[in-house]
Amino acid sequence: MADTEQKPAAQEKPVVEKQTNCLGCNKPLKKLRSYYRNGKFFCTKKCWLKSIKKKEPAEGEGAK
């Protein structure tokens, strides 16, 4: 019976969607003006700094 069982197809890797919007302001990203930090894309350095400031208070509250 083990011989008649078919092995499942090779597991496919999950498809990673391309990031199209800035994580800080949700504007569409333009290739010429994209800012890449920590594995994520932002439209400018200002949006990157803004997203860091949003994260810090949330992380601090969890530690209390």
Side-chain angles (χ1 to χ4, degrees):
M1 234 187 191
D3 295 335
T4 59
E5 291 180 18
Q6 295 179 356
K7 292 184 179 180
Q11 292 182 355
E12 297 178 13
K13 293 182 181 179
V15 178
V16 179
E17 293 183 18
K18 186 177 177 183
Q19 184 181 344
T20 57
N21 290 341
C22 173
L23 294 175
C25 63
N26 205 28
K27 289 181 185 174
L29 289 173
K30 296 179 182 174
K31 192 171 186 176
L32 295 175
R33 286 196 46 132
S34 62
Y35 191 78
Y36 183 77
R37 287 290 184 266
N38 300 331
K40 298 170 186 153
F41 286 97
F42 300 91
C43 60
T44 60
K45 185 175 181 179
K46 191 174 183 179
C47 283
W48 173 64
L49 291 172
K50 190 188 315 181
S51 71
I52 290 176
K53 288 180 182 179
K54 284 182 184 177
K55 264 189 180 179
E56 288 177 355
E59 290 176 358
E61 291 174 6
K64 289 183 180 178

